[in-house]
Amino acid sequence: SGQLEVTRVTDGDSFRSGKLKIRLFGIDAPELNQQCETDYGALWPCGLAARDAIRKLVNTTRKLNCYLRDVDRYGRLVMQCFADGRDIAAELVDQGLALAYRGFSTAYAENETHAEAAGHGMWQGRFSPPWEWRRK
C-alpha cells in the first residue's frame, strides 16, 4: 500500500507501476479486443474505451494512492486505487466501462446498478460480461 506512479496502462482494469503489475480491486473490465453492441446492433470497441477511460483517470495526478487488498493467482497486486481522492474502480463502473466483480466483492454493485439504469457505456446495448467473454 502507498503511493504509486502509473508507468503503463495495460487494459481497463490493470496497469503497471515499474515492475509491479496491478489489478484494480472489485471490478472486471472488457478485454482490449472485446466489442459491445448498441441497441441498434452497431459494434463499438468497449475494451479500448475502458482502457482509454482508465488512462484518462490516472493521468489526472502524478501518483495514485493505492491500498493492497489481495494478490491474484497471476501474482498481480489487487489494489483499490484513488486518483485525486476519486476511486478509479468506482469511476469506471459508473461510466459503464467495467462491471462489479461480484465473485470477489460487492463493493461496486450499487455503482453498477446506477450505470445500468442510466444506460451508460456497455449498458447502452448488449455485451458479454468480461469473465464470460474470456471463456469463449
Side-chain angles (χ1 to χ4, degrees), residues 24-127:
L24 290 175
F25 168 77
I27 68 168
D28 198 8
E31 297 300 317
L32 282 177
N33 53 351
Q34 187 171 343
Q35 299 278 312
C36 294
E37 272 185 67
T38 65
D39 271 342
Y40 305 105
L43 294 176
W44 62 282
C46 54
L48 292 176
R51 182 206 57 200
D52 293 346
I54 192 174
R55 277 184 179 162
K56 186 175 179 183
L57 288 165
V58 301
N59 284 335
T60 63
T61 184
R62 282 196 62 233
K63 297 203 183 244
L64 303 178
N65 289 312
C66 295
Y67 303 92
L68 183 65
R69 302 294 297 264
D70 202 357
V71 177
D72 71 11
R73 62 183 176 180
Y74 304 108
R76 297 177 295 189
L77 304 177
V78 179
M79 304 185 95
Q80 186 174 20
C81 295
F82 297 82
D84 293 328
R86 296 181 338 204
D87 185 331
I88 295 170
E91 295 271 340
L92 292 166
V93 175
D94 289 344
Q95 293 176 36
L97 295 173
L99 300 176
Y101 210 175
R102 287 180 173 85
F104 296 94
S105 171
T106 58
Y108 302 105
E110 190 173 320
N111 300 74
E112 182 181 295
T113 299
H114 289 99
E116 180 180 9
H120 291 161
M122 295 183 291
W123 297 107
Q124 67 183 291
R126 290 172 293 285
F127 64 91

